[in-house]
Amino acid sequence: MKVTATFLDEITWDIPHQNWGPSEWDRDFAAMKKMGIGTVVLIRSGLARWLAYPSRYLHEKCGCAIPELDLIDLFLTLAEKHGMRFFCGTYVSQFYLGKGQPEKELEIDLKSAEEVWRLYGGRKAFRGWYLSHEFSGRNDALAELQAALGRRCKELSGGLPVLMSPFIRGRKEGNAWDPAILNGRESIDPEEHKRTWGGILEQLKGAVDIVAFQDGHTDYFELETYLRINRELCESFGMESWTNCESFDRDMPIKFLPIHWEKMLYKLRAAERAGFTEAITFEFSHFMSPYSIYGGAHGLYDRYMEYLEKQQKA
Amino acid sequence: MKVTATFLDEITWDIPHQNWGPSEWDRDFAAMKKMGIGTVVLIRSGLARWLAYPSRYLHEKCGCAIPELDLIDLFLTLAEKHGMRFFCGTYVSQFYLGKGQPEKELEIDLKSAEEVWRLYGGRKAFRGWYLSHEFSGRNDALAELQAALGRRCKELSGGLPVLMSPFIRGRKEGNAWDPAILNGRESIDPEEHKRTWGGILEQLKGAVDIVAFQDGHTDYFELETYLRINRELCESFGMESWTNCESFDRDMPIKFLPIHWEKMLYKLRAAERAGFTEAITFEFSHFMSPYSIYGGAHGLYDRYMEYLEKQQKA
Amino acid sequence: MKVTATFLDEITWDIPHQNWGPSEWDRDFAAMKKMGIGTVVLIRSGLARWLAYPSRYLHEKCGCAIPELDLIDLFLTLAEKHGMRFFCGTYVSQFYLGKGQPEKELEIDLKSAEEVWRLYGGRKAFRGWYLSHEFSGRNDALAELQAALGRRCKELSGGLPVLMSPFIRGRKEGNAWDPAILNGRESIDPEEHKRTWGGILEQLKGAVDIVAFQDGHTDYFELETYLRINRELCESFGMESWTNCESFDRDMPIKFLPIHWEKMLYKLRAAERAGFTEAITFEFSHFMSPYSIYGGAHGLYDRYMEYLEKQQKA
C-alpha cells in the first residue's frame, strides 16, 4: 500500500501558508517524486477572495485579489518537469452556500472552471479535475452542485477524470476551530453511512470517476469497516476508489501538525486489508515533506521512506 | 509601501517565546536592518510579573520577577549598533483595569516609565515611547489613562514622540483563545469607528504623536475604507498615521503563525492606495524573520525581499 | 537546582509526535546527558490503542496496534549506552475509568506491568516505575488504583522505586483543548491541597517512593507555597520529593510550545528556596532539546546550559 498522490493545499482553508516561491516548490515536487507520488491535486483554485490563478472572472465577479504568483501555472510546470499528473481543484466562494443559494455558487464555480480550462487546458500535465466542495452527505444541494460541476468539467475537457474527497460523518467530525476534541455530535453509524452514500453516488454517476473518502473522522478501530463499505459502494457504481490517508493528526490540541507515523501506518494497513491499492494524502507539503515548516513532517518522510524500502525488499 | 518599523514582542502576551540570547537578537536586528527597518518598538516594558528590565520599583510594588536578561539594555545596544531608533513600551499590570481601578494602573505605569527614563533615557537610540495598552474605543478610562501617560512620557523626555497602536472593532475582533473564528460580536461599522475615534483622538491631542491602527481585525475587502478613515482622522488632529501591517494570520486555527505573503501584500497595497507611507509590523522576529522559530516566517522574509527588489527596479 | 530527569513523552496524549527513529533518539539522549540528565521516565507504556512496546496481552485484550518500533527496548538500549536510569510508565486504557470501572482498568494495568517486567525486567537500565495515571486528588478510585499498581510494581521488581507525578488543582487547571486560558474552575487553595494530599499519601505508603508534583497549574506567585507543602507532606510520609518543572508554557493559546526561559528559571528558584534538590521536567525532547521540532526549545537548551555553566563557576 503506497501513497501515490497528494493534495496541494494552496490556497488553504485552515492550514497556515509556508510562503514558498517557485524554487521551494520545485524542491518539494522532487521529494514527492522520490517518495513515489505521481499525481498532484490542487485542493482548490480559489477560496473566497484568495486565488491560485489570476482570474479575471473572479476578480470582477467576486472582488478576488489577483495573486502575485500563478500557482496553477507553477504546479503544471513542475508536474511536467517531474513527470506527474496534475488535477485541478475548482473554486469555492464560501459565501452563497451559507446563504442557501447553491445555484449561485454553482454558476461561479462553473464559470471559473471554464476559465481555468481556457487558460490551462492545453497543458500537458493537466490530467484531471478535483471537486473542491467537501461534504458528508447531509446536504442534497451540494450533491446536486457536485454532479453538475463534475459533468461540466468532463464535458469541457473531453472526459478527463473527476475526483472527489468527501468525509465520513464519524466520531471525530467537527471543525478545526472547535474547542474540544472533535466531537462527532451528528455522527452516523456505518450502516447509515452506506445507505446515505449509496443514494449520493447514484446521483453522481457520470460526474465523478474517483472517490477518495477522508480517513480521519472515524475512530481507528472502525476505519476498516468504513473503508470496506466505501470500496464496495464505489465498485457498485463503477467508480474508482482511493483512500485519502490523512498525514495530519486530528487527535491533538494543535490543529494541525503531522500525524504519528504509527497511526499513518495503521491506516495504510487497514486500507490494504480492505482491498485498496491507491492512496492520496492530505497533504505532503505541510505534513510529510522533508522541507515542511513543521519538523514532525521530516521524521514522517524518513519513516515512510524506510517503510517503502522494506516493502520493496519483501 | 515599505515596512520600516517593527514591534519587539518581548515580554509577550499570547505569542510563545523564542528564548533568544544576545547573539540571536543581534543576528535578528541585522536581518531587520537589511529589510529596511529603521525603528524598533518594544511592545511593553513588562506584563504582570514578567519584565523586560530589572525594575526595582515593579519588583517591590507588584512582586515582579527580576529578569536574568535586561532586554531594554540589549535592544538599545543593538539599535545603536545597527543604526536604528528604539521606542520604549510602557508597563501593563493586567490587574487593576480588570478590577475597575484605572487610576492605580496609571500610577504604576507612570512610576515605571519614570524609572525607565532614569535608567535608559540617556541612551542614544532612545528615541520615542509606545503606549502599551491596546484598546478599541469602548473604554473611556483607557483613553484617559493613555492621555495622562503619553503626556508624562513626553514631559519626561523633552518631547520624544509617542506612538500608539489601537485596534479596530471589526469583524475579526476576538481573542486568541477564542474557539471559533474571531467573532466580532461587538464590531462596529466604519461610520461609528470614525465617530468614536474622532472623540478619542481629541482627548489624546498633545499626548500621542503617531497612531498605527492594527490592520487585522477587518475583513480584507473593508480594510481600505478603514485605512482612509484612520489617515484622515490623524491628519485632522495633526498626528502622524502609520499602518500596523500585521505579519501573522488571524484566519487560521493555530493562533498564531506567519501570514500568507499574498495577504500581507494585499494589505500593504490597500495602505498605499489609502495614502500611507509608513508601516510598522507586529512583528518581525516571530513572523517575518529568517531566524524565526516558525518556518513560514522564512518564506515571508524571502517573498518580502523579492518584493522590495521589484519596487527598487520599478 | 538542576534538572536531572526527564519524561519521555511517547506515546503522547496531547503533544504531537516528532516521528523520530533510533538515530534521532540516540542524538537526543546524548544531548540530555550533556545537560546533566541521569534518569529518563517513559510517560506510559501505552495509551488506548497505541503502545510503546509490542504487547501481545494488550493487542488481544484491548485491540491495541502492535507498533513497528519497540520504544521500551530502544529507550533501555539508549539509557544503557548513555549511562542513565530508565523508569517505565504503566499502561493507561483511557476507557474503563470514564465508565466508572476502575477495577477493570487496574486489572489491565497490572497485567501489562507484569508483561513489561517479563520482557524487560532483566535489562540493566530498568531501575524504576512510573504510575502513569495523573490525578489531582478528587478521585478516590484512582488513589486506590495507584496504590495497588505501585505495590505490585515493587513486588514484581524486588522493590524498585515507584514515581508518580500528580497535578495541583490550582488556578490553571483545565485541559489542553479548553478554549480559554486554563480555567481552574474547580481549583482549591493551599490548605485544602495539603489536607487532601495528606489523606492520599497515607493511602499510598508502601506503594510510591517518589512524588513529583507538576508545577504548572498554580500561578507563579503561589508556587513556592505549594512546593513547601509538597516537600513537607512527602517527608512526613518518608517519600522522596522532586519537582516536575514543566518546560512547556501553559499561558499561551498554542497548547503547547516551549516555555520562556525566565519562567522556567523562576520555577527552579522557587523549588530551590522550598528545599528541593531534584527536578524532573516534562519534557526534554519536545521542549528543551536542541533537536526538537519546536524552535523555542533550542533556545531553552542554550539558556539552560548557560545557567548550568554559571552555577558551576559559582
Side-chain angles (χ1 to χ4, degrees), chain A residues 179-181 220-221 249 251-255 257 259-263 265-266 269 295-296 299-300 302-303 310, chain C residues 10 12-21 24 49-50 65 67-69 176-177 179 254-256 293-294:
Chain A
I181 198 161
Y220 291 93
F221 72 93
D249 202 323
D251 305 332
M252 297 289 150
I254 299 181
K255 306 223 170 292
L257 292 184
I259 200 169
H260 190 193
W261 163 240
E262 298 276 2
K263 289 182 179 172
L265 181 60
Y266 182 97
R269 285 183 174 156
L300 194 55
D302 292 341
R303 301 293 82 75
K310 261 195 225 170
Chain C
E10 302 270 335
T12 89
W13 159 241
D14 53 14
I15 311 291
H17 293 76
Q18 308 208 70
N19 288 315
W20 287 350
E24 286 89 353
R49 294 175 192 278
W50 307 107
E68 278 296 283
L69 182 61
W177 288 269
I254 299 181
K255 309 230 170 287
F256 299 101
I293 55 172
Y294 300 134

Side-chain angles (χ1 to χ4, degrees), chain B residues 17 19 21 68-69 177 255, chain C residues 179 259 261-262 265 296 303 310:
Chain B
H17 293 76
N19 287 315
E68 278 295 283
L69 181 62
W177 287 269
K255 306 223 172 289
Chain C
I259 200 170
W261 164 240
E262 299 276 2
L265 181 61
R303 301 294 80 75
K310 262 195 225 169

Side-chain angles (χ1 to χ4, degrees), chain B residues 96 119 135 159 186 223 235 239 303:
Chain B
Y96 294 108
L119 292 169
F135 76 126
E186 304 180 18
L223 178 59
E235 271 175 15
M239 295 171 184
R303 300 295 80 76

Side-chain angles (χ1 to χ4, degrees), chain C residues 18-126:
Chain C
Q18 308 208 70
N19 288 315
W20 287 350
S23 67
E24 286 89 353
W25 279 111
D26 187 15
R27 183 178 72 172
D28 210 56
F29 271 61
M32 289 175 201
K33 183 72 186 178
K34 199 171 159 195
M35 204 188 91
I37 287 176
T39 305
V40 291
V41 179
L42 180 64
I43 193 87
R44 52 187 80 84
S45 49
L47 175 68
R49 294 175 192 278
W50 307 107
L51 299 176
Y53 74 108
S55 168
R56 272 298 119 200
Y57 169 70
L58 291 166
H59 178 66
E60 276 154 30
K61 178 80 182 176
C62 307
C64 297
I66 296 293
E68 278 296 283
L69 182 61
D70 181 338
L71 283 169
I72 296 187
D73 174 64
L74 175 65
F75 292 153
L76 280 164
T77 303
L78 294 175
E80 283 149 14
K81 174 174 173 183
H82 296 281
M84 293 151 102
R85 298 193 299 174
F86 176 81
F87 281 37
C88 193
T90 53
Y91 176 72
V92 174
S93 89
Q94 205 191 8
F95 182 65
Y96 294 108
L97 288 171
K99 293 178 98 175
Q101 300 176 300
E103 70 293 351
K104 293 223 171 167
E105 177 74 34
L106 177 60
E107 185 201 323
I108 291 168
D109 297 359
L110 285 171
K111 290 255 170 70
S112 163
E114 288 161 9
E115 189 186 41
V116 161
W117 184 252
R118 227 166 28 243
L119 292 168
Y120 310 100
R123 299 289 291 267
K124 191 184 147 209
F126 199 123

Side-chain angles (χ1 to χ4, degrees), chain B:
Chain B
M1 191 67 205
K2 289 175 196 170
V3 176
T4 56
T6 183
F7 286 98
L8 299 168
D9 190 35
E10 302 270 335
I11 303 306
T12 90
W13 159 241
D14 53 14
I15 312 291
H17 293 76
Q18 311 208 70
N19 287 315
W20 287 349
S23 68
E24 286 90 352
W25 279 111
D26 187 14
R27 182 178 72 171
D28 211 56
F29 271 61
M32 288 175 201
K33 184 71 185 181
K34 199 171 159 194
M35 203 188 90
I37 287 175
T39 305
V40 290
V41 179
L42 181 64
I43 193 86
R44 51 188 81 84
S45 50
L47 175 68
R49 292 175 195 278
W50 308 107
L51 299 175
Y53 75 108
S55 168
R56 273 299 119 201
Y57 169 70
L58 290 166
H59 178 66
E60 276 154 30
K61 178 80 183 175
C62 307
C64 296
I66 295 293
E68 278 295 283
L69 181 62
D70 181 339
L71 283 169
I72 295 187
D73 175 64
L74 175 65
F75 292 152
L76 281 163
T77 303
L78 293 175
E80 283 149 13
K81 174 176 174 184
H82 296 281
M84 293 151 102
R85 299 193 297 176
F86 176 82
F87 282 37
C88 193
T90 53
Y91 176 72
V92 174
S93 88
Q94 206 191 8
F95 182 66
Y96 294 108
L97 287 172
K99 293 178 101 176
Q101 299 176 300
E103 71 291 350
K104 293 222 171 166
E105 177 74 35
L106 177 60
E107 185 200 324
I108 292 169
D109 298 358
L110 285 172
K111 290 254 170 70
S112 164
E114 287 160 9
E115 189 186 41
V116 161
W117 184 253
R118 227 164 29 243
L119 292 169
Y120 310 100
R123 299 289 291 268
K124 190 184 147 210
F126 200 122
R127 301 279 293 281
W129 296 92
Y130 169 65
L131 302 180
S132 299
H133 295 284
E134 295 171 36
F135 76 126
S136 64
R138 270 171 307 197
N139 193 326
D140 284 344
L142 255 175
E144 265 179 61
L145 186 159
Q146 299 275 76
L149 188 55
R151 270 190 284 271
R152 181 69 181 131
C153 286
K154 293 185 76 66
E155 195 179 76
L156 278 171
S157 60
L160 285 183
V162 171
L163 167 71
M164 69 181 293
S165 185
F167 60 94
I168 294 165
R169 284 165 61 189
R171 290 162 195 257
K172 294 194 201 169
E173 197 192 349
N175 84 59
W177 287 269
D178 216 287
I181 197 161
L182 298 164
N183 53 53
R185 240 173 261 133
E186 304 180 18
S187 69
I188 59 179
D189 67 14
E191 274 315 299
E192 197 184 335
H193 170 76
K194 187 173 174 174
R195 239 180 353 259
T196 309
W197 277 96
I200 294 167
L201 294 186
E202 180 67 44
Q203 272 186 282
L204 293 173
K205 259 180 18 182
V208 167
D209 302 277
I210 313 164
V211 183
F213 277 95
Q214 301 171 26
D215 76 349
H217 292 88
T218 76
D219 207 339
Y220 292 93
F221 72 95
E222 306 169 303
L223 178 59
E224 193 174 332
T225 303
Y226 281 101
L227 284 163
R228 283 183 196 282
I229 292 170
N230 294 342
R231 188 181 53 72
E232 287 161 12
L233 274 172
C234 289
E235 271 175 15
S236 73
F237 289 100
M239 295 171 184
E240 228 178 286
S241 181
W242 298 358
T243 182
N244 176 354
C245 186
E246 297 177 346
S247 40
F248 62 96
D249 201 324
R250 289 188 181 271
D251 305 331
M252 297 290 150
I254 299 181
K255 306 223 172 289
F256 299 102
L257 291 183
I259 201 170
H260 190 194
W261 164 240
E262 298 275 2
K263 289 182 179 173
M264 188 164 183
L265 181 61
Y266 182 97
K267 299 194 297 179
L268 287 170
R269 285 182 174 158
E272 193 167 82
R273 284 191 305 269
F276 283 77
T277 55
E278 298 279 335
I280 186 171
T281 190
F282 182 92
E283 38 84 285
F284 179 84
S285 302
H286 284 91
F287 303 119
M288 291 195 81
S289 166
Y291 306 114
S292 167
I293 55 172
Y294 300 134
H298 310 172
L300 194 55
Y301 186 77
D302 291 341
R303 300 295 80 76
Y304 183 80
M305 294 300 274
E306 290 164 7
Y307 159 82
L308 264 196
E309 215 173 307
K310 260 195 227 170
Q311 302 267 96
Q312 276 150 2
K313 279 188 192 151

